Amino acid sequence: MPKQTIIDAHALEKTFITGEVKTHALRGVTFKINKGEFVAIMGPSGSGKSTLMQLLGFLDRPTSGKYFFEGQDASVFEDDDLAQIRNKKIGFVFQTFNLLPRTTVFENVEVPLLYDSNRKSKKRNRHLIERALKQVNMMYRIDYSSNQLSGGERQRVAIARALVNEPKVIFADEPTGNLDSKSGVQVMKILQQLNKEGKTVILVTHETRTAKHARRIIRLVDGKITSDAKVNHQLDANGIEELK
Ligand SMILES: Nc1ncnc2c1ncn2[C@@H]1O[C@H](COP(=O)(O)OP(=O)(O)OP(=O)(O)O)[C@@H](O)[C@H]1O
Ligand SMILES: [Mg+2]
């Protein structure tokens, strides 16, 4: 079967203007990601990784360049359409979890369902929430408040929330950044499992050992791609093969 492109970024630029200061966060970034890939985006602090994720996840728009998602030109969508596409097709996981405080695990995972334009029945919602919590092994805390959870548990709930609408793509921006190494490995295993089940996973990380869970590494420096390499798991820990 031919590989299907899900993400097609062409010459993306993003310039932030704050008062008199212009910051060129992205300076012409071009790449494609196929459905089912697991890609890590690496690069120094300030190189534009989060900015790129925001553009790809429709949280922001580029200053120039084109972005096609599933073959559709994102620039033609109104903000409301983008919000719906984001809610249905994209799951976000952040370094800081971003759960609602003093709110139960169940209610946190329910949030994307409440924003869905095609609301489902309460029973259907419960089924979807429980299924997502099972995928991250968090059913045993369904009625806990988010404040009562450990960091690793919070991140797993955040992943369940990202999954509940069955998105095609998961964007994870430093998902292990605030976790101890054991919880970090658990989170990476979940992302790997989701990828095996067919989801496209795009991960930002500065840790080489975390990036090695991916099959391809895109490096950004100063808003530009400096390398795009596939990870060869057959080789040893340093086995990163440059793509031509
Ligand atoms: N909303 C904004 N307004 C102004 N400047 C911004 C904004 N967001 C990002 N920037 C600037 O754009 C550049 C890229 O930021 P970005 O957050 O994408 O970096 P990053 O690679 O994710 O870094 P880190 O590893 O520290 O998270 C930085 O110089 C940052 O200060
Ligand atoms: Mg960042």
Side-chain angles (χ1 to χ4, degrees), residues 16 18 23 25 44-51:
F16 294 106
T18 324
T23 305
S45 180
S47 57
K49 305 179 297 294
S50 295
T51 304

Side-chain angles (χ1 to χ4, degrees), residues 38 185 188-189 192 203 208-215 233:
F38 190 158
V185 168
M188 289 314 300
K189 282 195 172 152
Q192 238 172 359
L203 161 85
T208 309
R209 69 189 145 89
T210 303
K212 288 206 176 99
H213 290 267
R215 280 179 281 166
H233 294 288

Side-chain angles (χ1 to χ4, degrees), residues 24-58:
H24 299 287
L26 295 174
R27 302 166 184 262
V29 167
T30 299
F31 62 95
K32 288 182 184 181
I33 293 177
N34 287 326
K35 215 166 166 241
E37 277 200 84
F38 190 158
V39 181
I41 297 174
M42 297 191 80
S45 180
S47 57
K49 305 179 297 294
S50 295
T51 304
L52 180 60
M53 296 285 263
Q54 304 254 322
L55 298 186
L56 299 181
F58 304 122

Side-chain angles (χ1 to χ4, degrees), residues 72-164:
Q72 282 186 297
D73 183 348
S75 67
V76 305
F77 293 117
E78 303 287 337
D79 288 352
D80 286 354
D81 297 334
L82 284 186
Q84 276 303 317
I85 299 174
R86 185 163 65 230
N87 192 48
K88 280 206 94 68
K89 303 209 173 183
I90 293 170
F92 274 103
V93 180
F94 300 98
Q95 177 171 3
T96 48
F97 322 134
N98 298 5
L99 297 181
L100 299 172
R102 297 173 300 281
T103 304
T104 66
V105 165
F106 180 93
E107 289 164 335
N108 266 284
V109 179
E110 188 181 31
V111 169
L113 299 173
L114 302 178
Y115 285 104
D116 195 338
S117 54
N118 317 308
R119 292 255 196 123
K120 301 178 180 81
S121 70
K122 267 199 159 156
K123 198 173 151 203
R124 177 79 188 144
N125 278 359
R126 173 161 283 276
H127 167 75
L128 294 173
I129 293 163
E130 290 184 355
R131 192 185 54 187
L133 285 171
K134 279 179 198 152
Q135 283 180 278
V136 298
N137 246 325
M138 279 303 296
M139 267 303 281
Y140 71 119
R141 293 288 192 250
I142 188 166
D143 293 321
Y144 271 52
S145 163
S146 59
N147 302 56
Q148 296 170 309
L149 306 177
S150 73
E153 288 175 333
R154 283 177 204 205
Q155 195 57 302
R156 275 147 61 203
V157 172
I159 295 174
R161 180 183 56 189
L163 283 177
V164 73

Side-chain angles (χ1 to χ4, degrees), residues 184-198:
V185 168
Q186 271 181 348
V187 160
M188 289 314 300
K189 282 195 172 152
I190 291 169
L191 292 178
Q192 238 172 359
Q193 181 58 33
L194 293 170
N195 176 249
K196 259 194 201 150
E197 290 165 10

